[in-house]
Amino acid sequence: MQRFDGKTVIVTGGGGGIGGATCRRFASEGAQVAVFDMNLEAAEKVAADIRATGGRATAFACNITDRAQVDAAVAAVEAQLGPIAVLVNNAGWDVFKPFVKTVPAEWAKLIDINLTGALHMLHAVLPGMAARQYGRIVNVASDAARGGSSGEAVYAACKGGLVALSKTLAREHARQGITVNVVCPGPTDTALLAGVAEGARDPAKLIEAFRSAIPLGRLGQGEDLASAIAFFGSDDAGFVTGQVLSVSGGLTMHG
Ligand SMILES: NC(=O)c1ccc[n+]([C@@H]2O[C@H](COP(=O)([O-])OP(=O)(O)OC[C@H]3O[C@@H](n4cnc5c(N)ncnc54)[C@H](O)[C@@H]3O)[C@@H](O)[C@H]2O)c1
Protein backbone atom coordinates (compact mmCIF):
# COMPACT_ATOMS: atom_id res chain seq x y z
CA MET A 1 0.00 0.00 0.00
CA GLN A 2 1.46 3.36 -1.05
CA ARG A 3 0.63 6.81 0.36
CA PHE A 4 -1.45 7.98 -2.60
CA ASP A 5 -3.06 4.74 -3.81
CA GLY A 6 -6.56 5.52 -5.06
CA LYS A 7 -6.03 9.29 -4.77
CA THR A 8 -6.49 11.81 -7.56
CA VAL A 9 -4.08 14.74 -7.40
CA ILE A 10 -4.13 17.97 -9.43
CA VAL A 11 -0.84 19.83 -9.87
CA THR A 12 -1.07 23.22 -11.60
CA GLY A 13 1.99 24.26 -13.57
CA GLY A 14 2.65 20.52 -13.74
CA GLY A 15 4.59 20.95 -16.96
CA GLY A 16 7.28 23.06 -15.25
CA GLY A 17 10.32 22.33 -13.08
CA ILE A 18 8.85 22.04 -9.58
CA GLY A 19 5.43 20.97 -10.90
CA GLY A 20 6.89 18.21 -13.07
CA ALA A 21 8.96 16.81 -10.20
CA THR A 22 5.86 16.98 -7.98
CA CYS A 23 3.73 15.08 -10.50
CA ARG A 24 6.40 12.40 -10.77
CA ARG A 25 6.65 12.13 -6.98
CA PHE A 26 2.89 11.72 -6.43
CA ALA A 27 2.67 9.20 -9.29
CA SER A 28 5.61 7.21 -7.93
CA GLU A 29 3.63 6.79 -4.69
CA GLY A 30 0.48 5.51 -6.39
CA ALA A 31 -1.50 8.67 -7.23
CA GLN A 32 -3.49 9.26 -10.36
CA VAL A 33 -2.08 12.65 -11.40
CA ALA A 34 -3.85 15.39 -13.35
CA VAL A 35 -1.08 17.51 -14.88
CA PHE A 36 -2.55 21.01 -15.35
CA ASP A 37 -0.67 23.56 -17.44
CA MET A 38 -1.46 26.28 -19.94
CA ASN A 39 1.44 24.78 -21.88
CA LEU A 40 -0.28 21.54 -22.95
CA GLU A 41 2.82 20.22 -24.70
CA ALA A 42 4.85 20.49 -21.46
CA ALA A 43 2.03 18.85 -19.47
CA GLU A 44 1.71 16.04 -22.05
CA LYS A 45 5.44 15.37 -21.81
CA VAL A 46 5.35 15.03 -18.01
CA ALA A 47 2.27 12.77 -18.19
CA ALA A 48 3.85 10.61 -20.94
CA ASP A 49 7.09 10.24 -18.92
CA ILE A 50 5.08 9.12 -15.89
CA ARG A 51 3.07 6.62 -17.93
CA ALA A 52 6.29 5.31 -19.53
CA THR A 53 7.55 4.35 -16.07
CA GLY A 54 4.32 2.61 -15.09
CA GLY A 55 2.58 5.52 -13.34
CA ARG A 56 -0.82 7.07 -13.96
CA ALA A 57 -1.05 10.64 -15.27
CA THR A 58 -3.21 12.67 -17.64
CA ALA A 59 -2.48 16.11 -19.06
CA PHE A 60 -5.11 18.86 -19.04
CA ALA A 61 -4.79 22.22 -20.80
CA CYS A 62 -5.75 24.86 -18.26
CA ASN A 63 -4.87 28.51 -17.95
CA ILE A 64 -5.61 29.11 -14.28
CA THR A 65 -6.32 32.81 -14.86
CA ASP A 66 -9.43 31.88 -16.87
CA ARG A 67 -12.28 30.68 -14.61
CA ALA A 68 -14.13 28.96 -17.47
CA GLN A 69 -11.03 26.91 -18.31
CA VAL A 70 -10.54 26.04 -14.63
CA ASP A 71 -14.15 24.88 -14.22
CA ALA A 72 -13.98 22.82 -17.42
CA ALA A 73 -10.66 21.18 -16.50
CA VAL A 74 -11.75 20.39 -12.91
CA ALA A 75 -15.00 18.87 -14.24
CA ALA A 76 -12.99 16.81 -16.76
CA VAL A 77 -10.74 15.49 -13.97
CA GLU A 78 -13.74 14.49 -11.86
CA ALA A 79 -15.40 12.77 -14.83
CA GLN A 80 -12.27 10.95 -16.01
CA LEU A 81 -10.28 10.33 -12.81
CA GLY A 82 -12.78 10.64 -9.96
CA PRO A 83 -12.98 12.91 -6.90
CA ILE A 84 -10.03 15.20 -6.23
CA ALA A 85 -8.17 14.36 -3.02
CA VAL A 86 -5.18 16.68 -3.36
CA LEU A 87 -4.76 20.07 -5.03
CA VAL A 88 -1.28 21.54 -5.49
CA ASN A 89 -1.44 25.20 -6.54
CA ASN A 90 2.02 25.46 -8.06
CA ALA A 91 1.72 27.44 -11.30
CA GLY A 92 3.50 30.77 -11.07
CA TRP A 93 5.34 33.46 -12.96
CA ASP A 94 7.79 36.22 -12.08
CA VAL A 95 9.56 39.23 -13.54
CA PHE A 96 12.70 40.59 -11.87
CA LYS A 97 12.78 44.40 -11.73
CA PRO A 98 12.97 47.15 -9.11
CA PHE A 99 9.40 48.06 -8.16
CA VAL A 100 9.61 51.64 -9.48
CA LYS A 101 10.56 50.30 -12.92
CA THR A 102 7.55 47.98 -13.14
CA VAL A 103 4.34 49.01 -14.90
CA PRO A 104 0.71 48.30 -13.96
CA ALA A 105 0.30 45.79 -16.82
CA GLU A 106 3.04 43.69 -15.19
CA TRP A 107 1.33 43.95 -11.78
CA ALA A 108 -1.92 42.75 -13.34
CA LYS A 109 -0.23 39.75 -14.96
CA LEU A 110 1.64 38.86 -11.75
CA ILE A 111 -1.52 39.11 -9.65
CA ASP A 112 -3.57 37.18 -12.19
CA ILE A 113 -1.21 34.20 -12.34
CA ASN A 114 0.20 34.10 -8.80
CA LEU A 115 -2.90 34.99 -6.78
CA THR A 116 -6.14 35.03 -8.80
CA GLY A 117 -5.22 31.75 -10.52
CA ALA A 118 -4.96 30.00 -7.16
CA LEU A 119 -8.26 31.59 -6.06
CA HIS A 120 -9.99 30.15 -9.14
CA MET A 121 -8.58 26.69 -8.48
CA LEU A 122 -9.49 26.76 -4.80
CA HIS A 123 -12.99 28.06 -5.50
CA ALA A 124 -13.55 25.28 -8.03
CA VAL A 125 -12.13 22.41 -5.96
CA LEU A 126 -12.98 23.21 -2.30
CA PRO A 127 -16.77 22.62 -2.45
CA GLY A 128 -16.27 19.02 -3.60
CA MET A 129 -13.65 18.38 -0.92
CA ALA A 130 -15.96 19.87 1.71
CA ALA A 131 -18.85 17.67 0.57
CA ARG A 132 -16.63 14.58 0.80
CA GLN A 133 -15.12 15.77 4.14
CA TYR A 134 -11.58 15.18 2.86
CA GLY A 135 -8.95 17.23 1.11
CA ARG A 136 -5.30 18.19 1.06
CA ILE A 137 -4.33 21.56 -0.37
CA VAL A 138 -0.72 22.60 -0.87
CA ASN A 139 -0.04 26.13 -2.09
CA VAL A 140 3.40 26.88 -3.48
CA ALA A 141 4.42 30.40 -2.43
CA SER A 142 8.01 31.65 -2.15
CA ASP A 143 10.55 32.68 0.45
CA ALA A 144 10.06 36.14 -1.12
CA ALA A 145 6.76 36.16 0.80
CA ARG A 146 8.49 35.55 4.13
CA GLY A 147 11.67 37.59 3.93
CA GLY A 148 11.11 39.98 1.03
CA SER A 149 13.22 39.87 -2.11
CA SER A 150 14.67 42.83 -4.02
CA GLY A 151 13.35 42.91 -7.59
CA GLU A 152 10.25 40.88 -6.80
CA ALA A 153 7.95 43.33 -5.00
CA VAL A 154 4.61 42.51 -6.63
CA TYR A 155 5.42 38.81 -6.93
CA ALA A 156 6.29 38.80 -3.20
CA ALA A 157 3.02 40.60 -2.45
CA CYS A 158 1.07 37.90 -4.32
CA LYS A 159 2.92 35.11 -2.56
CA GLY A 160 2.37 36.82 0.80
CA GLY A 161 -1.31 36.96 -0.11
CA LEU A 162 -1.23 33.26 -0.85
CA VAL A 163 0.22 32.57 2.61
CA ALA A 164 -2.51 34.64 4.32
CA LEU A 165 -5.19 33.04 2.14
CA SER A 166 -3.91 29.57 3.04
CA LYS A 167 -4.06 30.23 6.79
CA THR A 168 -7.59 31.57 6.48
CA LEU A 169 -8.80 28.64 4.38
CA ALA A 170 -7.08 26.26 6.80
CA ARG A 171 -9.30 27.70 9.55
CA GLU A 172 -12.50 27.82 7.45
CA HIS A 173 -12.20 24.19 6.29
CA ALA A 174 -10.52 22.43 9.22
CA ARG A 175 -13.76 20.84 10.45
CA GLN A 176 -14.35 19.39 6.98
CA GLY A 177 -11.23 17.23 7.02
CA ILE A 178 -9.38 19.60 4.70
CA THR A 179 -5.84 20.76 5.42
CA VAL A 180 -4.21 23.76 3.73
CA ASN A 181 -0.45 24.25 3.92
CA VAL A 182 2.21 26.24 2.10
CA VAL A 183 5.60 25.32 0.71
CA CYS A 184 8.00 28.21 0.06
CA PRO A 185 10.79 27.42 -2.36
CA GLY A 186 14.00 29.39 -2.29
CA PRO A 187 16.03 29.75 -5.51
CA THR A 188 15.34 26.54 -7.42
CA ASP A 189 16.92 25.41 -10.66
CA THR A 190 14.00 25.80 -13.10
CA ALA A 191 13.00 27.82 -16.17
CA LEU A 192 11.39 30.40 -13.87
CA LEU A 193 14.69 31.08 -12.09
CA ALA A 194 16.51 31.30 -15.43
CA GLY A 195 13.91 33.85 -16.57
CA VAL A 196 14.34 35.85 -13.35
CA ALA A 197 18.13 35.84 -13.83
CA GLU A 198 17.75 37.11 -17.40
CA GLY A 199 16.36 40.32 -15.93
CA ALA A 200 19.64 40.93 -14.09
CA ARG A 201 22.66 42.77 -15.50
CA ASP A 202 24.77 39.60 -15.19
CA PRO A 203 22.55 36.47 -15.02
CA ALA A 204 25.38 34.03 -14.21
CA LYS A 205 26.57 36.30 -11.39
CA LEU A 206 23.05 36.48 -9.93
CA ILE A 207 22.69 32.67 -9.96
CA GLU A 208 26.12 32.34 -8.30
CA ALA A 209 25.09 34.93 -5.69
CA PHE A 210 21.95 32.88 -4.90
CA ARG A 211 24.01 29.69 -4.66
CA SER A 212 26.65 31.13 -2.39
CA ALA A 213 24.03 32.71 -0.11
CA ILE A 214 22.37 29.32 0.51
CA PRO A 215 23.84 27.67 3.63
CA LEU A 216 23.51 24.18 2.13
CA GLY A 217 25.59 25.41 -0.80
CA ARG A 218 23.43 24.65 -3.85
CA LEU A 219 20.27 25.71 -5.64
CA GLY A 220 17.10 23.77 -4.92
CA GLN A 221 16.02 21.04 -7.33
CA GLY A 222 12.42 20.25 -8.20
CA GLU A 223 12.67 17.01 -6.23
CA ASP A 224 13.57 18.92 -3.04
CA LEU A 225 10.24 20.73 -3.27
CA ALA A 226 8.31 17.65 -4.36
CA SER A 227 9.21 15.85 -1.12
CA ALA A 228 7.77 18.63 1.03
CA ILE A 229 4.69 19.03 -1.16
CA ALA A 230 4.03 15.29 -1.05
CA PHE A 231 4.32 15.34 2.75
CA PHE A 232 1.65 18.05 3.09
CA GLY A 233 -0.43 16.23 0.47
CA SER A 234 -0.34 12.99 2.43
CA ASP A 235 -2.02 11.63 5.53
CA ASP A 236 1.38 11.79 7.26
CA ALA A 237 0.51 15.49 7.59
CA GLY A 238 -3.10 14.84 8.62
CA PHE A 239 -2.69 16.85 11.86
CA VAL A 240 -0.82 19.74 10.21
CA THR A 241 -2.71 22.70 8.78
CA GLY A 242 -2.15 26.41 8.17
CA GLN A 243 1.63 25.91 8.19
CA VAL A 244 4.36 27.40 6.03
CA LEU A 245 7.54 25.46 5.25
CA SER A 246 10.59 26.96 3.55
CA VAL A 247 12.50 24.53 1.36
CA SER A 248 15.47 26.71 0.52
CA GLY A 249 18.66 25.11 1.77
CA GLY A 250 18.50 27.29 4.88
CA LEU A 251 18.50 30.59 2.94
CA THR A 252 15.80 31.83 5.28
CA MET A 253 15.27 30.43 8.76
CA HIS A 254 11.89 31.43 10.10
CA GLY A 255 10.61 30.36 13.48
N1 LIG B 1 12.23 28.42 -9.24
C1 LIG B 1 12.35 29.21 -8.18
O1 LIG B 1 13.45 29.68 -7.84
C2 LIG B 1 11.16 29.52 -7.32
C3 LIG B 1 11.36 30.22 -6.13
C4 LIG B 1 10.27 30.53 -5.33
C5 LIG B 1 9.00 30.13 -5.71
N2 LIG B 1 8.83 29.45 -6.88
C6 LIG B 1 7.45 29.08 -7.23
O2 LIG B 1 7.40 27.70 -7.56
C7 LIG B 1 6.32 27.47 -8.48
C8 LIG B 1 6.80 26.65 -9.65
O3 LIG B 1 7.78 27.39 -10.35
P1 LIG B 1 8.94 26.73 -11.24
O4 LIG B 1 10.20 27.28 -10.73
O5 LIG B 1 8.76 25.26 -11.33
O6 LIG B 1 8.65 27.44 -12.63
P2 LIG B 1 8.51 26.87 -14.12
O7 LIG B 1 8.53 28.09 -14.99
O8 LIG B 1 9.48 25.78 -14.37
O9 LIG B 1 7.05 26.25 -14.11
C9 LIG B 1 5.90 27.03 -14.01
C10 LIG B 1 4.81 26.34 -14.81
O10 LIG B 1 3.60 27.07 -14.60
C11 LIG B 1 2.92 27.16 -15.83
N3 LIG B 1 2.05 28.32 -15.83
C12 LIG B 1 2.40 29.63 -15.78
N4 LIG B 1 1.32 30.39 -15.82
C13 LIG B 1 0.25 29.56 -15.89
C14 LIG B 1 -1.16 29.76 -15.99
N5 LIG B 1 -1.67 30.98 -16.04
N6 LIG B 1 -1.97 28.68 -16.04
C15 LIG B 1 -1.43 27.43 -16.01
N7 LIG B 1 -0.12 27.19 -15.96
C16 LIG B 1 0.72 28.23 -15.90
C17 LIG B 1 4.04 27.29 -16.88
O11 LIG B 1 3.59 26.94 -18.17
C18 LIG B 1 5.09 26.34 -16.32
O12 LIG B 1 4.94 25.04 -16.83
C19 LIG B 1 5.80 28.86 -8.86
O13 LIG B 1 4.64 29.15 -8.11
C20 LIG B 1 6.92 29.78 -8.45
O14 LIG B 1 6.47 31.09 -8.16
C21 LIG B 1 9.87 29.14 -7.68
Side-chain angles (χ1 to χ4, degrees), residues 12-19 36-39 42 62-65 89-93 113-114 140-143 155 159 185-193:
T12 69
I18 294 171
F36 273 34
D37 209 295
M38 67 178 189
N39 180 346
C62 180
N63 183 334
I64 57 166
T65 68
N89 274 312
N90 162 78
W93 179 75
I113 297 174
N114 294 300
V140 178
S142 168
D143 261 1
Y155 172 83
K159 296 298 195 178
T188 305
D189 189 11
T190 68
L192 185 143
L193 186 69

Side-chain angles (χ1 to χ4, degrees), residues 85-135:
V86 183
L87 167 64
V88 181
N89 274 312
N90 162 78
W93 179 75
D94 194 9
V95 58
F96 200 76
K97 274 186 195 175
F99 174 62
V100 292
K101 295 204 170 148
T102 58
V103 295
E106 286 166 340
W107 309 346
K109 185 173 173 185
L110 282 162
I111 294 167
D112 235 23
I113 297 174
N114 294 300
L115 190 55
T116 311
L119 292 173
H120 286 316
M121 288 299 306
L122 290 160
H123 208 245
V125 167
L126 272 167
M129 288 182 169
R132 293 186 295 276
Q133 298 280 295
Y134 183 88

